[in-house]
Amino acid sequence: MKILETKQAVREHCSTLRKAGQSIALVPTMGFLHEGHLSLVREAARRCDVVVVSIFVNPTQFGPNEDLDSYPRDTERDLELLAREGVSGVFMPSVDEMYGATGDTFVEVPELSSILQGALRPDHFRGVSTVVSKLFNIVQPDVAVFGEKDYQQLAIIRQMVRDLDMPLAIVGHPTVREADGLAMSSRNVRLSEQQRAEAAALSQSMTAAETIASEGTQIVELKRVITEVIEENAPNGKIESVEIRDALTLAPLDGALDRPAVILLAVRFGAVLLIDQRVIDVTNQLG
Ligand code: PAF
């Protein structure tokens, strides 16, 4: 496994692979890898001959009061895990290498980036779409794999790739969960024991909503059930948003459930913001 610290090193590595006729899948990450990331790497390996992983804690997607400095890092362990998965190269640039001295150009998908999480975190998705475009330009992968957990991020990346005719396929991979249903996230280690136990309420609340959902169920009723389950089971969690949106366009839904929808949750435990999602398709249109 090659450790690649410069863009030039990545270009040379990937060009050699391409000349040898190998297809390349990219898995962009911010490191501190867990089973969820490894499942993305395995999906990438199923899709292409070789896998390149990037590890870069991207400053442009963190707001001034967000957790950039305290974002968890463990590079040695990350590299061990990736070597075991048979990854071909790991791109680990410094901030300087990635953005250089000027860094004045951004890629933005304004409409999708300003709603939901984007309304709570201004500029976050602009940082994501910019760094992801840069990674696509540097690695030039055939396929890139992203987790469905970050549902809005995935929708934005798909839209960007469509709008800018980027020549690669975007693959979304289902969320990997702990035994109690908590979506795996690098942020989970920052929860106290009590918060960690309560955090299972996010997944429980969506299961409760899914159980009562059928064609015609009122959206407002689903939201009520979700809120109630979280409030009852996670007294230390502060609900930041409970949204039920069109699963494809993320447009707001109200009235009766009549199309594939996605539940999008954001719940804060102290300094840690947890997000989760579940697609409910009572019409089976997505299958
Ligand atoms: O999902 C993430 O870990 C990040 O947003 C990504 C896609 C690696 C861009 O920095």
Side-chain angles (χ1 to χ4, degrees), residues 3 37 40 58 71 109 115 146 181 208 217 228-229 233 237 244 264:
I3 309 299
H37 295 107
L40 302 183
N58 173 35
Y71 196 84
V109 184
I115 57 171
F146 294 87
T217 309
E228 205 171 271
V229 172
N233 296 288
I244 299 183
L264 298 165

Side-chain angles (χ1 to χ4, degrees), residues 192-211:
S192 70
E193 210 175 309
Q194 178 65 28
Q195 290 168 333
R196 167 63 192 84
E198 293 184 12
L202 275 76
S203 161
Q204 287 160 2
S205 71
M206 293 189 291
T207 304
E210 205 173 11
T211 312

Side-chain angles (χ1 to χ4, degrees), residues 28-30 37 54 56 58 61 71 124 128 131-132 135 146 150 153 157:
T29 82
M30 298 208 297
H37 295 107
S54 61
F56 180 62
N58 173 35
Q61 68 188 77
Y71 196 84
H124 167 69
V128 172
V131 81
V132 168
L135 289 167
F146 294 87
D150 296 306
Q153 168 173 285
I157 291 167

Side-chain angles (χ1 to χ4, degrees), residues 65-191:
N65 303 317
E66 292 182 353
D67 51 2
L68 173 62
D69 290 337
S70 61
Y71 196 84
R73 297 162 210 241
D74 190 345
T75 308
E76 207 175 307
R77 183 170 167 277
D78 288 349
L79 294 178
E80 258 172 50
L81 292 170
L82 294 175
R84 257 186 255 155
E85 296 296 326
V87 164
S88 148
V90 182
F91 180 36
M92 301 176 36
S94 64
V95 172
D96 236 29
E97 172 65 15
M98 199 57 175
Y99 284 106
T102 52
D104 195 26
T105 305
F106 288 92
V107 177
E108 194 166 11
V109 184
E111 222 166 281
L112 274 180
S113 297
S114 59
I115 57 171
L116 299 163
Q117 280 294 298
L120 304 171
R121 302 180 72 187
D123 295 340
H124 167 69
F125 287 118
R126 185 178 83 153
V128 172
S129 43
T130 300
V131 81
V132 168
S133 317
K134 285 166 75 65
L135 289 167
F136 289 173
N137 285 333
I138 297 163
V139 177
Q140 298 182 21
D142 300 279
V143 167
V145 185
F146 294 87
E148 283 175 358
K149 177 167 113 32
D150 296 306
Y151 198 86
Q152 186 175 2
Q153 168 173 285
L154 180 56
I156 288 167
I157 291 167
R158 285 191 198 283
Q159 174 91 41
M160 172 183 84
V161 165
R162 266 197 311 273
D163 287 352
L164 297 182
D165 302 306
M166 293 179 168
L168 79 164
I170 301 299
V171 171
H173 191 68
T175 305
V176 178
R177 296 179 181 279
E178 304 285 357
D180 64 358
L182 176 64
M184 286 194 187
S185 162
S186 305
R187 297 199 159 133
N188 294 350
V189 292
R190 293 172 50 216
L191 297 169

Side-chain angles (χ1 to χ4, degrees), residues 3-52:
I3 309 299
L4 308 158
E5 290 179 332
T6 64
K7 299 173 194 174
Q8 185 56 27
V10 178
R11 290 210 168 97
E12 283 167 13
H13 182 71
C14 293
S15 152
T16 309
L17 293 170
R18 267 190 297 274
K19 279 188 194 136
Q22 310 226 272
S23 57
I24 302 172
L26 170 68
V27 181
T29 82
M30 298 208 297
F32 208 69
L33 305 179
H34 50 65
E35 199 48 42
H37 295 107
L38 299 182
S39 77
L40 302 183
V41 171
R42 289 173 201 139
E43 179 64 37
R46 276 192 287 277
R47 304 263 177 170
C48 286
D49 299 320
V50 293
V51 179
V52 170

